[in-house]
Amino acid sequence: MTERVSAWALDGIPEIEPGADLAQLIGDAIVSDGGGCLDGDILIVTSKIVSKAEGRIVEASDREDAITAETVRVVATRAFEGGVTRIVENRLGIVGAAAGVDASNTADGTVLLLPVDPDASARGLTAALRARFGVRLGVIVSDTLGRAWRIGQTDVAIGAAGVQVVDDLRGSTDAQGRPLNVTVPVVADELAGLGDLVKGKASGRPVAVVRGMGRLVTDEVDTPGARTLPRTGPTDMFRLGTDEAYRLGLAGEKLE
Amino acid sequence: MTERVSAWALDGIPEIEPGADLAQLIGDAIVSDGGGCLDGDILIVTSKIVSKAEGRIVEASDREDAITAETVRVVATRAFEGGVTRIVENRLGIVGAAAGVDASNTADGTVLLLPVDPDASARGLTAALRARFGVRLGVIVSDTLGRAWRIGQTDVAIGAAGVQVVDDLRGSTDAQGRPLNVTVPVVADELAGLGDLVKGKASGRPVAVVRGMGRLVTDEVDTPGARTLPRTGPTDMFRLGTDEAYRLGLAGEKLE
């Protein structure tokens, strides 16, 4: 039995203002788009519009200062011609450049911070849209993130509700009957990436619908969210950049 | 204009033996599946079957020895109860655990190595399937890869032909007309992730069709492949694990 997945970006989401009822606007766009949600649909919502609705726009003459304010821990920095790249952990545990501070698609002199609690944002959207459409659906709040050892970025899940974030294969077996116990596919990140493929970056279409992955949608709204996805702390083999760790050692300082 | 993407896994790909004509078998499965390819289709092919067709099965009483043989450079190691995790760079420049050595879904006492040149494998499949179906299509060879700072794995592109691996936005602008020059969405990895969503890990369906992303499919077969995606060398801020770099410093040794 082959699952057929389809995905598309919704037209008709207006520019989001602080205080906007995002669930209402997304629901209206779904209705305009063709008549509603099916059971098992997953919505991929760009974090930027969640932030805007939640009023996370702050004045910042300097984006770098805003990044500093959102940073819990600096992992690595590297000067390059024209600036400094800082890889930092933000308060959501996400490690990346710029701490989720976004200065694109915002008014000059302002930056957009990530939602305070993207899993809670996803739960709110999920509950409201399930009530409106009377079906089980899931919501993933996505953001664009770089990664170590590979160029560029992909979209990943920073918030989730009503949908499994990992496809837990522990207990399953491969075609030879041996346990597949090492692999933990992070389906929430793959769904966020699919959202990016259909939304694009410059399109003004911040919400995608993914249809046909209902096996990942849960009865409950309140599921282990994207907050479970970052790996930080003692099991993180890259909690400090190479140069930073080396310099600590050279100076005889203690490594946390 | 909203792109609608659909994706599904192909039924009917048999167990692949060394020397198998993979393009023929995939093409037959496409025909059985419903009649052919459309212009702009992208096939996501699990590297495992490419390796099998190319005879990359080697006897290995010990998977760890096979990993060592495939490793160009050790990035970090960490002992845990029951073993050692090694993050290594393999000869394709890909940094991850296990160097791409696969011991699942293989006969006991054997392991499967990655294709020698997955971009070349993708080019071969692309050329053969374009000739058979008379349309422009692209091929991505995918593998499952962990990542720093996030749990679990996603599928990424390790080979590609006939399809853009990045959606180059340099020169594009955001909705406010400002340049989007920092973002390089790695669409090949997002496509590989989509393939994983529909193929699953234990399904025995190693090829997915992605339809509707024809804007990423190129006229040429021979395009910059997935070999362009790893970031290693001096610009890699995580070329050595935190503990490893610290110890070098403490010992007063030179950091490469």
Side-chain angles (χ1 to χ4, degrees):
Chain A
M1 192 199 63
T2 294
E3 280 169 317
R4 189 172 284 250
V5 171
S6 59
W8 64 96
L10 290 173
D11 281 318
I13 308 258
E15 183 63 31
I16 302 298
E17 303 293 336
D21 184 342
L22 198 56
Q24 178 76 40
L25 295 170
I26 292 173
D28 292 349
I30 290 169
V31 170
S32 304
D33 177 67
C37 276
L38 296 188
D39 193 74
D41 281 354
I42 301 169
L43 303 175
I44 317 296
V45 181
T46 305
S47 64
K48 186 185 297 269
I49 64 167
V50 177
S51 294
K52 284 183 175 174
E54 295 179 358
R56 299 283 289 158
I57 301 162
V58 297
E59 299 206 7
S61 54
D62 189 296
R63 178 167 173 265
E64 296 305 315
D65 292 345
I67 293 171
T68 302
E70 287 290 292
T71 293
V72 169
R73 190 173 67 83
V74 176
V75 175
T77 62
R78 179 71 70 91
F80 64 96
E81 201 181 337
V84 173
T85 295
R86 288 189 279 178
I87 309 297
V88 302
E89 179 182 335
N90 70 16
R91 62 194 165 67
L92 299 169
I94 298 167
V95 174
V101 173
D102 190 348
S104 66
N105 275 304
T106 58
D108 283 335
T110 66
V111 298
L112 199 57
L113 309 181
L114 290 179
V116 172
D117 181 348
D119 284 330
S121 307
R123 287 193 297 271
L125 291 171
T126 302
L129 290 164
R130 284 184 178 206
R132 176 164 177 184
F133 292 108
V135 296
R136 290 177 322 145
L137 58 81
V139 170
I140 285 171
V141 176
S142 68
D143 197 21
T144 301
L145 193 66
R147 56 270 175 86
W149 312 309
R150 293 179 80 76
I151 64 159
Q153 298 87 26
T154 57
D155 273 17
V156 301
I158 68 164
V163 58
Q164 287 175 240
V165 291
V166 302
D167 195 0
D168 199 333
L169 300 173
R170 281 171 290 190
S172 334
T173 54
D174 68 15
Q176 267 68 44
R178 281 171 305 199
L180 268 173
N181 54 4
V182 176
T183 305
V184 180
V186 184
V187 288
D189 286 346
E190 294 178 331
L191 287 163
L194 170 55
D196 189 43
L197 284 172
V198 296
K199 288 183 290 189
K201 284 277 181 283
S203 69
R205 291 195 305 263
V207 179
V209 180
V210 176
R211 182 159 291 169
M213 291 300 298
R215 70 178 174 87
L216 300 175
V217 175
T218 56
D219 291 339
E220 310 78 40
V221 169
D222 189 358
T223 45
R227 191 67 181 84
T228 62
L229 298 179
R231 180 204 298 277
T232 56
T235 66
D236 175 8
M237 295 160 79
F238 303 94
R239 62 205 181 282
L240 211 56
T242 303
D243 292 348
E244 286 75 10
Y246 178 79
R247 283 197 296 265
L248 269 189
L250 211 54
E253 290 182 40
K254 196 164 175 299
L255 178 68
E256 294 299 313
Chain B
M1 192 200 59
T2 294
E3 280 170 315
R4 188 172 285 249
V5 171
S6 60
W8 65 96
L10 291 174
D11 281 318
I13 308 259
E15 183 64 29
I16 302 297
E17 304 292 336
D21 184 342
L22 199 55
Q24 178 77 38
L25 294 170
I26 292 172
D28 291 349
I30 290 169
V31 171
S32 304
D33 178 68
C37 275
L38 296 189
D39 192 75
D41 282 354
I42 301 168
L43 303 175
I44 317 295
V45 180
T46 306
S47 64
K48 187 186 296 271
I49 64 167
V50 178
S51 293
K52 285 182 175 175
E54 295 179 359
R56 299 283 290 158
I57 301 164
V58 297
E59 299 208 5
S61 54
D62 189 299
R63 179 167 171 263
E64 296 306 315
D65 292 346
I67 294 172
T68 302
E70 287 291 290
T71 294
V72 168
R73 190 173 66 84
V74 176
V75 176
T77 62
R78 179 70 69 92
F80 64 95
E81 202 182 335
V84 173
T85 295
R86 288 188 280 178
I87 309 297
V88 302
E89 179 183 335
N90 70 17
R91 63 193 165 68
L92 299 170
I94 299 168
V95 174
V101 174
D102 191 347
S104 66
N105 275 305
T106 57
D108 284 335
T110 67
V111 299
L112 200 57
L113 308 181
L114 291 179
V116 172
D117 180 349
D119 284 330
S121 307
R123 287 194 297 271
L125 291 171
T126 301
L129 290 163
R130 285 183 177 206
R132 176 163 176 182
F133 292 109
V135 296
R136 290 179 322 144
L137 57 81
V139 170
I140 285 172
V141 176
S142 66
D143 197 21
T144 301
L145 193 66
R147 54 268 177 90
W149 313 308
R150 294 179 81 75
I151 65 160
Q153 299 87 28
T154 57
D155 274 17
V156 301
I158 68 164
V163 57
Q164 287 176 240
V165 292
V166 302
D167 196 359
D168 199 334
L169 301 173
R170 282 170 291 190
S172 333
T173 54
D174 68 15
Q176 266 69 43
R178 281 172 305 199
L180 268 173
N181 54 5
V182 176
T183 305
V184 180
V186 184
V187 288
D189 286 347
E190 295 178 330
L191 287 163
L194 170 55
D196 188 43
L197 285 172
V198 296
K199 288 183 289 187
K201 283 278 181 281
S203 69
R205 290 195 306 263
V207 179
V209 181
V210 176
R211 182 160 292 169
M213 291 300 297
R215 71 178 171 89
L216 300 175
V217 174
T218 55
D219 290 338
E220 309 77 39
V221 169
D222 190 357
T223 44
R227 192 65 183 83
T228 63
L229 299 179
R231 180 203 301 275
T232 57
T235 66
D236 175 9
M237 296 160 80
F238 303 94
R239 61 204 181 283
L240 210 54
T242 304
D243 291 350
E244 285 76 9
Y246 178 78
R247 284 196 296 264
L248 269 188
L250 211 53
E253 289 181 38
K254 194 163 177 301
L255 180 67
E256 294 297 313

